Amino acid sequence: MSVGAGTVTKVAPRSNAGDIDSAGREVDCPLGSTGVEVLGLTTDETSAIGILAEAPRRSGLCCDFDGTIAPIVVDPEAARPLPGAMGALHGLAREMAVVAAVSARSALFLASRLDLSFNSSPLRAIGLSGLEEAFADGTVKLRAGVSAWRPVIETLSDQLLAAVPSGVRVEDKGYGLTTHWRSLQASGAELEAVAARTTEVVETLGAENGLLCWPGKSSVELALPLGIDKGSVVTELCEGLESAAYLGDDNGDLLAFRALDQLRANTGLRTVKIAVSGAEAPSELLAEADLVLDGPSGAASFLEALARRVVPESSS
Ligand SMILES: [Mg+2]
């Protein structure tokens, strides 16, 4: 676990710190040795919760979806958030300045999986890494300039399907494309060859059409070059707040971490960068994190603990 200077470790212990009630709602522990567990929370988790819970109405929380609050599964359509994480996010969204799921998935997929239409909370579902947002009434709002790219995406989708190795899936997300090879039954060496060939094809077609190529877990994505990504989303949502956290598990989430770094340097925002570990977690993400949680179940436990601290019992 890594705790970055200026984030978790800058929390000043309160004079009355150290007590936790039986419900775990007053977790004000002084910073201690990293990794020591207090009622199921490490000191770093407790410190992160303290930062966000000090002034919830001036705090933000953004999180990725796949591999962060939803276990990674072979069929991307089958991905579901852990119920504890989803419940906590809806509860937190009612109490905090902003709570958002920010994913490379389509916004409608996120809204569906997060049950936006069945929960009267202001939880935000921001898809395609910021290009679109879905709302509880089923509407989707696109960023300016996005829709003009649809013909390019349609053409590229056909070209990718024709060029990628057999069995590689091409997901047309409307205004982005993702190639997946997780479901392929093959040896390690064969999968490496598939990944290399697919990445080469995606990079070539992306460069020819002016799109950005983002590697992910058993996938490569083509994204629109509009200067919108998880980093710009986090900057927009969290600028002007007093504290903010981001949870993620993959390369694209580094942009959000670095946006928090910039906000901290420029505005004094108190930040918590949270990596969610897993078999394919990028080492760079783990190294830059203030707090590393053990997979989506660890993320769910953390979010539930934060919700117990922030959300009144009657509304949780
Ligand atoms: Mg992810």
Side-chain angles (χ1 to χ4, degrees):
M1 182 182 296
S2 164
V3 178
T7 55
V8 177
T9 52
K10 279 196 171 178
V11 181
R14 297 176 184 177
S15 59
N16 62 344
D19 295 330
I20 302 173
D21 71 11
S22 58
R25 296 180 62 85
E26 297 295 335
V27 190
D28 285 338
C29 289
L31 291 174
S33 57
T34 298
V36 174
E37 291 195 359
V38 180
L39 291 187
L41 294 175
T42 66
T43 50
D44 286 340
E45 288 173 314
T46 302
S47 298
I49 287 172
I51 289 174
L52 298 169
E54 190 168 302
R57 298 292 181 191
R58 297 190 296 278
S59 297
L61 177 71
C62 301
C63 76
D64 171 52
F65 183 80
D66 293 286
T68 297
I69 57 170
I72 289 178
V73 291
V74 172
D75 177 6
E77 288 301 310
R80 297 284 186 283
L82 294 176
M86 187 165 73
L89 288 175
H90 280 292
L92 290 166
R94 297 186 190 98
E95 304 300 326
M96 298 178 72
V98 60
V99 177
V102 185
S103 168
R105 295 278 201 166
S106 75
L108 277 177
F109 175 91
L110 287 180
S112 161
R113 294 301 184 269
L114 293 168
D115 280 347
L116 238 56
S117 57
F118 298 105
N119 290 276
S120 56
S121 88
L123 176 63
R124 298 180 67 171
I126 298 175
L128 301 184
S129 300
L131 295 184
E132 60 182 21
E133 179 169 1
F135 299 89
D137 63 1
T139 58
V140 175
K141 183 178 179 183
L142 286 177
R143 294 285 190 139
V146 170
S147 60
W149 283 86
R150 181 59 195 161
V152 176
I153 294 296
E154 284 182 11
T155 301
L156 267 174
S157 180
D158 293 339
Q159 291 176 327
L160 275 175
L161 272 171
V164 294
S166 176
V168 172
R169 176 176 176 174
V170 177
E171 180 186 3
D172 182 343
K173 301 189 292 188
Y175 303 98
L177 292 160
T178 303
T179 53
H180 306 269
W181 53 87
R182 183 176 300 281
S183 61
L184 279 180
Q185 300 288 323
S187 69
E190 289 169 332
L191 281 177
E192 280 186 25
V194 165
R197 175 61 186 152
T198 303
T199 302
E200 181 185 1
V201 167
V202 171
E203 286 179 343
T204 300
L205 286 173
E208 289 174 358
N209 291 274
L211 273 75
L212 306 176
C213 181
W214 290 346
K217 292 180 173 177
S218 299
S219 65
V220 185
E221 180 185 351
L222 279 178
L224 303 189
L226 299 177
I228 298 168
D229 55 38
K230 289 183 175 182
S232 67
V233 171
V234 165
T235 299
E236 283 183 23
L237 294 181
C238 299
E239 194 164 26
L241 300 179
E242 289 187 6
S243 64
Y246 183 90
L247 291 85
D249 75 309
D250 209 346
N251 286 306
D253 300 308
L254 278 166
L255 298 170
F257 277 13
R258 286 163 190 171
L260 287 182
D261 288 341
Q262 280 293 313
L263 286 172
R264 187 182 71 228
N266 297 339
T267 72
L269 182 77
R270 302 170 77 197
T271 60
V272 188
K273 298 177 291 183
I274 303 173
V276 178
S277 66
E280 302 166 72
S283 56
E284 203 173 356
L285 186 83
L286 298 175
E288 292 194 18
D290 302 310
L291 174 63
V292 178
L293 300 175
D294 186 14
S297 63
S301 296
F302 174 82
L303 292 170
E304 289 175 289
L306 177 60
R308 283 196 298 275
R309 176 77 184 273
V310 167
V311 181
E313 281 190 46
S314 58
S315 63
S316 61

